[in-house]
Amino acid sequence: MQLTPPDGLGFSFADYSNTLRAYKDAGYAVTSFVEFLKNPQPKHLVLRHDLDNSIEQALRVARLDADAGCSSSIFVRVHARGYNLMSLPSLSAITEMEELGHEIGLHLEGGIGSVLGGDEREWAQRQKNVFEAALGRSFAGFSLHEPARMGGLAFANALLESWSDTVRYHAYEERFTTPTLKYLSDSSGNWREGHFGLWVDKVPQLQVLTHPFWWFDKVPAENY
């Protein structure tokens, strides 16, 4: 079985790093959301990682980003089974990610209220509180985990408005998605509009979402 396509646009770390460098060579700034908001460039890739399962895997990707001269926005969950935001290994990994120049935000979980009671707004606020307690600060932005479970864009917009004293954006705002910025995602290990490496010089500005779980060094089984 061939794990890396002949065009080099698979899910290996080598493919990933080469793609980032292709954007850099083509003159793109590749940065986090906060850097984009601070200094948007005519050619700009906003790089986002939603951290579903493993903080160690996210740290590997964060190091690759930095090695390629890029920064990224990394969104962490409060309710993840694979890592504990309060644990020393998680906090140490987050500290290293920030030292590498990356932004850490909140990956909001939905659907819990339907099992345990309470509405989604209440559970979102609890997650915000836990993030702030763990990291000792607020966050600039958040992304929704499985957005349909949390009411989609309307719910995210309402949260942003209520949190606007400290929070500057959410990842699904219209200013960050198609058609304003081309939006590409590897959700479920599938690039629905083609690998992000195919979009170099096809659009001037884009948001690319990856989930570190799908990326590997030699074989996918490294991650499960």
Side-chain angles (χ1 to χ4, degrees), residues 55-146:
I55 205 156
E56 292 83 3
Q57 185 75 351
L59 181 56
R60 296 175 78 185
V61 172
R63 289 167 177 162
L64 295 176
D65 292 347
D67 287 345
C70 306
S71 67
S72 58
S73 294
I74 302 167
F75 295 95
V76 297
R77 294 168 62 197
V78 166
H79 296 294
R81 294 178 65 181
Y83 61 94
N84 173 6
L85 201 59
M86 288 284 194
S87 72
L88 179 57
S90 292
L91 292 172
S92 296
I94 288 171
T95 297
E96 181 176 341
M97 292 174 192
E98 292 183 319
E99 289 174 347
L100 290 170
H102 306 307
E103 170 197 8
I104 308 298
L106 175 62
H107 196 28
L108 273 171
E109 194 80 37
I112 295 175
S114 65
V115 178
L116 298 180
D119 61 29
E120 294 297 348
R121 195 77 166 266
E122 175 189 358
W123 280 104
Q125 184 62 49
R126 290 188 188 187
Q127 291 172 72
K128 181 176 186 290
N129 294 345
V130 171
F131 180 103
E132 292 174 346
L135 273 67
R137 58 167 176 77
S138 186
F139 46 87
F142 65 92
S143 69
L144 301 185
H145 180 62
E146 299 182 345

Side-chain angles (χ1 to χ4, degrees), residues 144-158:
L144 301 185
H145 180 62
E146 299 182 345
R149 291 182 182 271
M150 298 189 72
L153 185 61
F155 180 77
N157 287 341

Side-chain angles (χ1 to χ4, degrees), residues 5-22:
D7 58 10
L9 296 179
F11 279 88
S12 74
F13 287 148
D15 296 337
Y16 177 79
S17 295
N18 289 338
T19 299
L20 291 184
R21 289 184 168 86

Side-chain angles (χ1 to χ4, degrees), residues 5 188 216:
S188 300
F216 57 86

Side-chain angles (χ1 to χ4, degrees), residues 164-204:
S164 60
D165 55 334
T166 57
V167 181
R168 299 173 59 191
Y169 73 89
H170 72 77
Y172 290 106
E173 287 184 71
E174 292 179 353
R175 58 179 170 158
F176 300 130
T177 55
T178 306
T180 308
L181 269 64
K182 182 65 182 178
Y183 174 70
L184 301 172
S185 171
D186 70 351
S187 294
S188 300
N190 178 32
W191 295 100
R192 289 166 178 78
E193 296 187 72
H195 191 285
F196 78 117
L198 297 172
W199 288 86
V200 178
D201 276 336
K202 297 290 179 62
V203 291

